[in-house]
Amino acid sequence: MTERTPGKQIHLAAHFPGVNSTTVWTDPRSRSHIDFSSFQHLARTAERGLFDFFFLAEGLRLREHKGRIHDLDVVGRPEALTVLTALAAVTERLGLAGTVNATFNEPYELARRLASLDHLSAGRAAWNVVTTSDAFTGENFRRGGYLDRAERYTRAAEFLATARELWDSWTPDGRQRPFAHHGRHFAIEGEFTVPRSPQGHPVVIQAGDSPEGREFAASAADIIFTRHGTLEAGREFYADVKGRLAAYGRDPDDLLIMPGVSYVLGDTAAEAQEKAAEIRRKQVSPQNAILALEQVWGVDLSAYDPDGPLPDIDPDPGSELVQGRVKITDPFAVAAKWRALSEAKGLSIRQTVIETTARQSFIGTPDAVAAELAEFVARDAADGFILVPHLTPGGLDDFVDRVVPLLQERGVYRTEYRGATLRSHLGLREPAGKG
């Protein structure tokens, strides 16, 4: 078949499912989230599909529910950069992105680990900068949860700036210079042990939709990992974030917007919709439905029937029933919205959770999914996508086999890697080295 005229190019990345309820554990094809073979399979599939990077999430503490480890979640996970370093040995071009927390690490130590990964992978490292302000996670660390929500971005911004000072303390021609940083959160000086890495700096990713997160991404990130449910919501987010770049002397192409999405394929549209509905029912089991409700209401709802109506009691905003998950900022508003939806459509608890917690998905035949992905990018709703499969490790196999060739045929996706580093895959400029 003749290739179509090239359009705006799509970027793709693969997310290894982690601390969420995306994975369908009951599927017989679901495998370990600890065995290296699972990471290797997904990464090699992504590289076979010419993806930009493999994205590994990380949680610093196991989530708890009613004072016990939440056993419906991932309850064991290797450290991200260790896994990515191992993957560097079994991949050749695929970028390797790891989530590492800026609240509970130190700039020198983390900058050294990331620069080492960039060297060992020949320029394929990326850092997803995240923060946390909850004391529950902080109990695992010496400082505890001392940072309030507003302060965490201040620390993260200084952390990233300090890491970049360390990476720049070696000149491009291999000369080492002393560094000295004295700021609000960090006062360090000395000599950095790792020469300037192949990309200059590892690629920086920022995850989040909040105003603070958008501003942080516009000022300092190379990629923003987000989510939005419709084409129009994506276009609004895209325009807002891209519009913030000029204030920092940056061009629109200096930051890529890549929402996390899922997909379901079928030979017909009806088959794909049926498969998607079944996947959501498996993801939102009766137990997970009650958990999602308890996260909003903050009270024990185990006596409620998942196939029955929503509770008519008020939420408890100060509850610590669920620990380690993002706090609902206005539980009363969420509860009211869910009740209105449930009453309007006659939905049970489980049906309400399924409808209100679904991640943006592309559902249809391979050709329809390829067309919709291309439309999102062509209409400036995204620069690409981070695919979050519901199966580990084989969840990307059918996408690579059935959708990638159609994107290539449309002229909107690469047919080969043209560079060696992650920055080259993403079309990002290498940071200017300081002489």
Side-chain angles (χ1 to χ4, degrees), residues 317-345:
S319 169
E320 293 187 354
L321 186 76
V322 178
Q323 294 274 38
R325 292 181 179 270
V326 176
K327 292 286 186 182
I328 305 296
T329 54
D330 189 348
F332 295 100
V334 174
K337 181 180 177 180
W338 285 18
R339 282 199 190 105
L341 176 67
S342 175
E343 292 170 3
K345 293 189 175 184

PDB file of all heavy atoms in Angstrom, residues 317-345:
ATOM      1  N   PRO A 317     -13.754  14.333  55.607  1.00  0.00           N
ATOM      2  CA  PRO A 317     -12.571  14.902  54.934  1.00  0.00           C
ATOM      3  C   PRO A 317     -11.271  14.717  55.692  1.00  0.00           C
ATOM      4  O   PRO A 317     -10.188  14.805  55.117  1.00  0.00           O
ATOM      5  CB  PRO A 317     -12.932  16.386  54.807  1.00  0.00           C
ATOM      6  CG  PRO A 317     -13.919  16.638  55.903  1.00  0.00           C
ATOM      7  CD  PRO A 317     -14.703  15.365  56.041  1.00  0.00           C
ATOM      8  N   GLY A 318     -11.331  14.434  56.988  1.00  0.00           N
ATOM      9  CA  GLY A 318     -10.107  14.268  57.771  1.00  0.00           C
ATOM     10  C   GLY A 318      -9.682  12.827  57.944  1.00  0.00           C
ATOM     11  O   GLY A 318      -8.766  12.534  58.720  1.00  0.00           O
ATOM     12  N   SER A 319     -10.297  11.927  57.217  1.00  0.00           N
ATOM     13  CA  SER A 319     -10.058  10.500  57.407  1.00  0.00           C
ATOM     14  C   SER A 319      -8.660  10.079  56.977  1.00  0.00           C
ATOM     15  O   SER A 319      -8.085  10.629  56.042  1.00  0.00           O
ATOM     16  CB  SER A 319     -11.087   9.699  56.608  1.00  0.00           C
ATOM     17  OG  SER A 319     -10.758   8.332  56.565  1.00  0.00           O
ATOM     18  N   GLU A 320      -8.123   9.074  57.666  1.00  0.00           N
ATOM     19  CA  GLU A 320      -6.861   8.441  57.267  1.00  0.00           C
ATOM     20  C   GLU A 320      -7.090   6.955  56.992  1.00  0.00           C
ATOM     21  O   GLU A 320      -6.182   6.128  57.125  1.00  0.00           O
ATOM     22  CB  GLU A 320      -5.805   8.634  58.352  1.00  0.00           C
ATOM     23  CG  GLU A 320      -5.386  10.089  58.526  1.00  0.00           C
ATOM     24  CD  GLU A 320      -4.221  10.253  59.479  1.00  0.00           C
ATOM     25  OE1 GLU A 320      -3.817   9.244  60.099  1.00  0.00           O
ATOM     26  OE2 GLU A 320      -3.721  11.377  59.603  1.00  0.00           O
ATOM     27  N   LEU A 321      -8.309   6.636  56.570  1.00  0.00           N
ATOM     28  CA  LEU A 321      -8.658   5.251  56.272  1.00  0.00           C
ATOM     29  C   LEU A 321      -7.786   4.683  55.160  1.00  0.00           C
ATOM     30  O   LEU A 321      -7.347   3.543  55.200  1.00  0.00           O
ATOM     31  CB  LEU A 321     -10.131   5.174  55.860  1.00  0.00           C
ATOM     32  CG  LEU A 321     -10.711   3.781  55.651  1.00  0.00           C
ATOM     33  CD1 LEU A 321     -10.970   3.121  57.004  1.00  0.00           C
ATOM     34  CD2 LEU A 321     -12.019   3.863  54.843  1.00  0.00           C
ATOM     35  N   VAL A 322      -7.536   5.517  54.135  1.00  0.00           N
ATOM     36  CA  VAL A 322      -6.716   5.121  52.992  1.00  0.00           C
ATOM     37  C   VAL A 322      -5.432   5.928  53.034  1.00  0.00           C
ATOM     38  O   VAL A 322      -5.472   7.162  53.069  1.00  0.00           O
ATOM     39  CB  VAL A 322      -7.454   5.351  51.657  1.00  0.00           C
ATOM     40  CG1 VAL A 322      -6.561   4.967  50.477  1.00  0.00           C
ATOM     41  CG2 VAL A 322      -8.745   4.545  51.628  1.00  0.00           C
ATOM     42  N   GLN A 323      -4.284   5.269  53.044  1.00  0.00           N
ATOM     43  CA  GLN A 323      -2.987   5.942  53.138  1.00  0.00           C
ATOM     44  C   GLN A 323      -2.143   5.625  51.907  1.00  0.00           C
ATOM     45  O   GLN A 323      -2.125   4.499  51.421  1.00  0.00           O
ATOM     46  CB  GLN A 323      -2.235   5.475  54.385  1.00  0.00           C
ATOM     47  CG  GLN A 323      -2.908   5.886  55.693  1.00  0.00           C
ATOM     48  CD  GLN A 323      -2.480   7.280  56.128  1.00  0.00           C
ATOM     49  OE1 GLN A 323      -2.317   8.176  55.319  1.00  0.00           O
ATOM     50  NE2 GLN A 323      -2.281   7.453  57.410  1.00  0.00           N
ATOM     51  N   GLY A 324      -1.439   6.653  51.408  1.00  0.00           N
ATOM     52  CA  GLY A 324      -0.525   6.449  50.299  1.00  0.00           C
ATOM     53  C   GLY A 324      -1.120   6.784  48.947  1.00  0.00           C
ATOM     54  O   GLY A 324      -0.440   6.695  47.929  1.00  0.00           O
ATOM     55  N   ARG A 325      -2.394   7.137  48.896  1.00  0.00           N
ATOM     56  CA  ARG A 325      -3.024   7.566  47.652  1.00  0.00           C
ATOM     57  C   ARG A 325      -3.219   9.070  47.678  1.00  0.00           C
ATOM     58  O   ARG A 325      -3.242   9.690  48.736  1.00  0.00           O
ATOM     59  CB  ARG A 325      -4.374   6.870  47.449  1.00  0.00           C
ATOM     60  CG  ARG A 325      -4.251   5.377  47.199  1.00  0.00           C
ATOM     61  CD  ARG A 325      -5.609   4.728  46.985  1.00  0.00           C
ATOM     62  NE  ARG A 325      -5.468   3.299  46.730  1.00  0.00           N
ATOM     63  CZ  ARG A 325      -5.326   2.770  45.531  1.00  0.00           C
ATOM     64  NH1 ARG A 325      -5.331   3.549  44.457  1.00  0.00           N
ATOM     65  NH2 ARG A 325      -5.189   1.465  45.376  1.00  0.00           N
ATOM     66  N   VAL A 326      -3.349   9.660  46.499  1.00  0.00           N
ATOM     67  CA  VAL A 326      -3.559  11.103  46.410  1.00  0.00           C
ATOM     68  C   VAL A 326      -4.850  11.470  47.129  1.00  0.00           C
ATOM     69  O   VAL A 326      -5.904  10.862  46.900  1.00  0.00           O
ATOM     70  CB  VAL A 326      -3.619  11.553  44.940  1.00  0.00           C
ATOM     71  CG1 VAL A 326      -3.924  13.037  44.853  1.00  0.00           C
ATOM     72  CG2 VAL A 326      -2.302  11.242  44.235  1.00  0.00           C
ATOM     73  N   LYS A 327      -4.776  12.474  47.989  1.00  0.00           N
ATOM     74  CA  LYS A 327      -5.946  12.901  48.739  1.00  0.00           C
ATOM     75  C   LYS A 327      -6.966  13.581  47.815  1.00  0.00           C
ATOM     76  O   LYS A 327      -6.608  14.333  46.917  1.00  0.00           O
ATOM     77  CB  LYS A 327      -5.539  13.891  49.834  1.00  0.00           C
ATOM     78  CG  LYS A 327      -4.703  13.277  50.950  1.00  0.00           C
ATOM     79  CD  LYS A 327      -5.548  12.409  51.869  1.00  0.00           C
ATOM     80  CE  LYS A 327      -4.749  11.921  53.072  1.00  0.00           C
ATOM     81  NZ  LYS A 327      -5.543  11.029  53.945  1.00  0.00           N
ATOM     82  N   ILE A 328      -8.240  13.306  48.058  1.00  0.00           N
ATOM     83  CA  ILE A 328      -9.314  13.997  47.342  1.00  0.00           C
ATOM     84  C   ILE A 328      -9.451  15.383  47.959  1.00  0.00           C
ATOM     85  O   ILE A 328      -9.739  15.516  49.156  1.00  0.00           O
ATOM     86  CB  ILE A 328     -10.647  13.225  47.456  1.00  0.00           C
ATOM     87  CG1 ILE A 328     -10.477  11.784  46.973  1.00  0.00           C
ATOM     88  CG2 ILE A 328     -11.739  13.953  46.696  1.00  0.00           C
ATOM     89  CD1 ILE A 328     -10.128  11.646  45.520  1.00  0.00           C
ATOM     90  N   THR A 329      -9.234  16.444  47.174  1.00  0.00           N
ATOM     91  CA  THR A 329      -9.214  17.795  47.745  1.00  0.00           C
ATOM     92  C   THR A 329     -10.595  18.262  48.195  1.00  0.00           C
ATOM     93  O   THR A 329     -10.714  18.998  49.172  1.00  0.00           O
ATOM     94  CB  THR A 329      -8.649  18.794  46.728  1.00  0.00           C
ATOM     95  OG1 THR A 329      -9.389  18.699  45.503  1.00  0.00           O
ATOM     96  CG2 THR A 329      -7.182  18.507  46.438  1.00  0.00           C
ATOM     97  N   ASP A 330     -11.651  17.860  47.502  1.00  0.00           N
ATOM     98  CA  ASP A 330     -13.009  18.257  47.887  1.00  0.00           C
ATOM     99  C   ASP A 330     -13.915  17.029  47.809  1.00  0.00           C
ATOM    100  O   ASP A 330     -14.655  16.846  46.834  1.00  0.00           O
ATOM    101  CB  ASP A 330     -13.529  19.362  46.966  1.00  0.00           C
ATOM    102  CG  ASP A 330     -14.847  19.973  47.457  1.00  0.00           C
ATOM    103  OD1 ASP A 330     -15.452  19.389  48.380  1.00  0.00           O
ATOM    104  OD2 ASP A 330     -15.261  21.011  46.911  1.00  0.00           O
ATOM    105  N   PRO A 331     -13.873  16.168  48.831  1.00  0.00           N
ATOM    106  CA  PRO A 331     -14.651  14.932  48.780  1.00  0.00           C
ATOM    107  C   PRO A 331     -16.156  15.174  48.691  1.00  0.00           C
ATOM    108  O   PRO A 331     -16.882  14.362  48.117  1.00  0.00           O
ATOM    109  CB  PRO A 331     -14.267  14.199  50.066  1.00  0.00           C
ATOM    110  CG  PRO A 331     -13.730  15.260  50.972  1.00  0.00           C
ATOM    111  CD  PRO A 331     -13.100  16.274  50.081  1.00  0.00           C
ATOM    112  N   PHE A 332     -16.647  16.284  49.273  1.00  0.00           N
ATOM    113  CA  PHE A 332     -18.079  16.569  49.212  1.00  0.00           C
ATOM    114  C   PHE A 332     -18.528  16.812  47.773  1.00  0.00           C
ATOM    115  O   PHE A 332     -19.584  16.328  47.348  1.00  0.00           O
ATOM    116  CB  PHE A 332     -18.411  17.784  50.084  1.00  0.00           C
ATOM    117  CG  PHE A 332     -18.168  17.554  51.551  1.00  0.00           C
ATOM    118  CD1 PHE A 332     -17.018  18.023  52.159  1.00  0.00           C
ATOM    119  CD2 PHE A 332     -19.093  16.860  52.326  1.00  0.00           C
ATOM    120  CE1 PHE A 332     -16.785  17.812  53.506  1.00  0.00           C
ATOM    121  CE2 PHE A 332     -18.875  16.638  53.680  1.00  0.00           C
ATOM    122  CZ  PHE A 332     -17.715  17.113  54.271  1.00  0.00           C
ATOM    123  N   ALA A 333     -17.700  17.550  47.009  1.00  0.00           N
ATOM    124  CA  ALA A 333     -18.041  17.826  45.613  1.00  0.00           C
ATOM    125  C   ALA A 333     -18.001  16.554  44.776  1.00  0.00           C
ATOM    126  O   ALA A 333     -18.858  16.324  43.923  1.00  0.00           O
ATOM    127  CB  ALA A 333     -17.084  18.875  45.037  1.00  0.00           C
ATOM    128  N   VAL A 334     -16.986  15.705  45.033  1.00  0.00           N
ATOM    129  CA  VAL A 334     -16.882  14.451  44.281  1.00  0.00           C
ATOM    130  C   VAL A 334     -18.065  13.546  44.601  1.00  0.00           C
ATOM    131  O   VAL A 334     -18.685  12.956  43.706  1.00  0.00           O
ATOM    132  CB  VAL A 334     -15.558  13.736  44.593  1.00  0.00           C
ATOM    133  CG1 VAL A 334     -15.514  12.370  43.919  1.00  0.00           C
ATOM    134  CG2 VAL A 334     -14.381  14.587  44.135  1.00  0.00           C
ATOM    135  N   ALA A 335     -18.409  13.449  45.883  1.00  0.00           N
ATOM    136  CA  ALA A 335     -19.534  12.602  46.283  1.00  0.00           C
ATOM    137  C   ALA A 335     -20.831  13.093  45.646  1.00  0.00           C
ATOM    138  O   ALA A 335     -21.649  12.290  45.170  1.00  0.00           O
ATOM    139  CB  ALA A 335     -19.657  12.575  47.803  1.00  0.00           C
ATOM    140  N   ALA A 336     -21.036  14.405  45.619  1.00  0.00           N
ATOM    141  CA  ALA A 336     -22.250  14.959  45.017  1.00  0.00           C
ATOM    142  C   ALA A 336     -22.304  14.672  43.518  1.00  0.00           C
ATOM    143  O   ALA A 336     -23.367  14.341  42.975  1.00  0.00           O
ATOM    144  CB  ALA A 336     -22.306  16.466  45.273  1.00  0.00           C
ATOM    145  N   LYS A 337     -21.160  14.787  42.864  1.00  0.00           N
ATOM    146  CA  LYS A 337     -21.096  14.513  41.418  1.00  0.00           C
ATOM    147  C   LYS A 337     -21.408  13.045  41.137  1.00  0.00           C
ATOM    148  O   LYS A 337     -22.156  12.726  40.204  1.00  0.00           O
ATOM    149  CB  LYS A 337     -19.709  14.877  40.893  1.00  0.00           C
ATOM    150  CG  LYS A 337     -19.520  14.651  39.408  1.00  0.00           C
ATOM    151  CD  LYS A 337     -18.109  15.045  38.977  1.00  0.00           C
ATOM    152  CE  LYS A 337     -17.891  14.750  37.501  1.00  0.00           C
ATOM    153  NZ  LYS A 337     -16.514  15.127  37.073  1.00  0.00           N
ATOM    154  N   TRP A 338     -20.837  12.167  41.933  1.00  0.00           N
ATOM    155  CA  TRP A 338     -21.070  10.736  41.733  1.00  0.00           C
ATOM    156  C   TRP A 338     -22.539  10.380  42.000  1.00  0.00           C
ATOM    157  O   TRP A 338     -23.127   9.576  41.282  1.00  0.00           O
ATOM    158  CB  TRP A 338     -20.156   9.919  42.644  1.00  0.00           C
ATOM    159  CG  TRP A 338     -18.728   9.882  42.180  1.00  0.00           C
ATOM    160  CD1 TRP A 338     -18.135  10.736  41.293  1.00  0.00           C
ATOM    161  CD2 TRP A 338     -17.719   8.949  42.578  1.00  0.00           C
ATOM    162  NE1 TRP A 338     -16.813  10.403  41.123  1.00  0.00           N
ATOM    163  CE2 TRP A 338     -16.531   9.310  41.886  1.00  0.00           C
ATOM    164  CE3 TRP A 338     -17.697   7.869  43.438  1.00  0.00           C
ATOM    165  CZ2 TRP A 338     -15.336   8.605  42.052  1.00  0.00           C
ATOM    166  CZ3 TRP A 338     -16.517   7.170  43.610  1.00  0.00           C
ATOM    167  CH2 TRP A 338     -15.349   7.529  42.914  1.00  0.00           C
ATOM    168  N   ARG A 339     -23.126  10.981  43.042  1.00  0.00           N
ATOM    169  CA  ARG A 339     -24.532  10.702  43.341  1.00  0.00           C
ATOM    170  C   ARG A 339     -25.430  11.154  42.195  1.00  0.00           C
ATOM    171  O   ARG A 339     -26.367  10.445  41.805  1.00  0.00           O
ATOM    172  CB  ARG A 339     -24.941  11.422  44.626  1.00  0.00           C
ATOM    173  CG  ARG A 339     -24.468  10.754  45.907  1.00  0.00           C
ATOM    174  CD  ARG A 339     -25.292  11.250  47.097  1.00  0.00           C
ATOM    175  NE  ARG A 339     -24.712  10.821  48.357  1.00  0.00           N
ATOM    176  CZ  ARG A 339     -24.039  11.620  49.175  1.00  0.00           C
ATOM    177  NH1 ARG A 339     -23.836  12.876  48.846  1.00  0.00           N
ATOM    178  NH2 ARG A 339     -23.551  11.158  50.320  1.00  0.00           N
ATOM    179  N   ALA A 340     -25.148  12.353  41.668  1.00  0.00           N
ATOM    180  CA  ALA A 340     -25.966  12.877  40.571  1.00  0.00           C
ATOM    181  C   ALA A 340     -25.880  11.970  39.350  1.00  0.00           C
ATOM    182  O   ALA A 340     -26.903  11.688  38.695  1.00  0.00           O
ATOM    183  CB  ALA A 340     -25.510  14.294  40.225  1.00  0.00           C
ATOM    184  N   LEU A 341     -24.673  11.501  39.044  1.00  0.00           N
ATOM    185  CA  LEU A 341     -24.494  10.615  37.900  1.00  0.00           C
ATOM    186  C   LEU A 341     -25.210   9.286  38.133  1.00  0.00           C
ATOM    187  O   LEU A 341     -25.894   8.760  37.236  1.00  0.00           O
ATOM    188  CB  LEU A 341     -23.003  10.364  37.665  1.00  0.00           C
ATOM    189  CG  LEU A 341     -22.641   9.371  36.551  1.00  0.00           C
ATOM    190  CD1 LEU A 341     -23.028   9.942  35.197  1.00  0.00           C
ATOM    191  CD2 LEU A 341     -21.133   9.053  36.580  1.00  0.00           C
ATOM    192  N   SER A 342     -25.060   8.741  39.340  1.00  0.00           N
ATOM    193  CA  SER A 342     -25.680   7.469  39.674  1.00  0.00           C
ATOM    194  C   SER A 342     -27.194   7.546  39.568  1.00  0.00           C
ATOM    195  O   SER A 342     -27.847   6.650  39.017  1.00  0.00           O
ATOM    196  CB  SER A 342     -25.270   7.043  41.090  1.00  0.00           C
ATOM    197  OG  SER A 342     -25.933   5.867  41.486  1.00  0.00           O
ATOM    198  N   GLU A 343     -27.773   8.636  40.084  1.00  0.00           N
ATOM    199  CA  GLU A 343     -29.224   8.792  40.048  1.00  0.00           C
ATOM    200  C   GLU A 343     -29.722   9.027  38.631  1.00  0.00           C
ATOM    201  O   GLU A 343     -30.764   8.489  38.222  1.00  0.00           O
ATOM    202  CB  GLU A 343     -29.640   9.950  40.956  1.00  0.00           C
ATOM    203  CG  GLU A 343     -29.406   9.659  42.437  1.00  0.00           C
ATOM    204  CD  GLU A 343     -29.589  10.893  43.306  1.00  0.00           C
ATOM    205  OE1 GLU A 343     -29.952  11.958  42.749  1.00  0.00           O
ATOM    206  OE2 GLU A 343     -29.366  10.796  44.529  1.00  0.00           O
ATOM    207  N   ALA A 344     -28.972   9.806  37.848  1.00  0.00           N
ATOM    208  CA  ALA A 344     -29.413  10.120  36.490  1.00  0.00           C
ATOM    209  C   ALA A 344     -29.402   8.897  35.588  1.00  0.00           C
ATOM    210  O   ALA A 344     -30.276   8.743  34.712  1.00  0.00           O
ATOM    211  CB  ALA A 344     -28.531  11.222  35.900  1.00  0.00           C
ATOM    212  N   LYS A 345     -28.426   8.012  35.798  1.00  0.00           N
ATOM    213  CA  LYS A 345     -28.287   6.856  34.910  1.00  0.00           C
ATOM    214  C   LYS A 345     -28.682   5.534  35.567  1.00  0.00           C
ATOM    215  O   LYS A 345     -28.602   4.481  34.922  1.00  0.00           O
ATOM    216  CB  LYS A 345     -26.840   6.760  34.414  1.00  0.00           C
ATOM    217  CG  LYS A 345     -26.419   7.904  33.505  1.00  0.00           C
ATOM    218  CD  LYS A 345     -25.057   7.628  32.869  1.00  0.00           C
ATOM    219  CE  LYS A 345     -24.672   8.692  31.870  1.00  0.00           C
ATOM    220  NZ  LYS A 345     -23.390   8.370  31.182  1.00  0.00           N
TER     221      LYS A 345
END
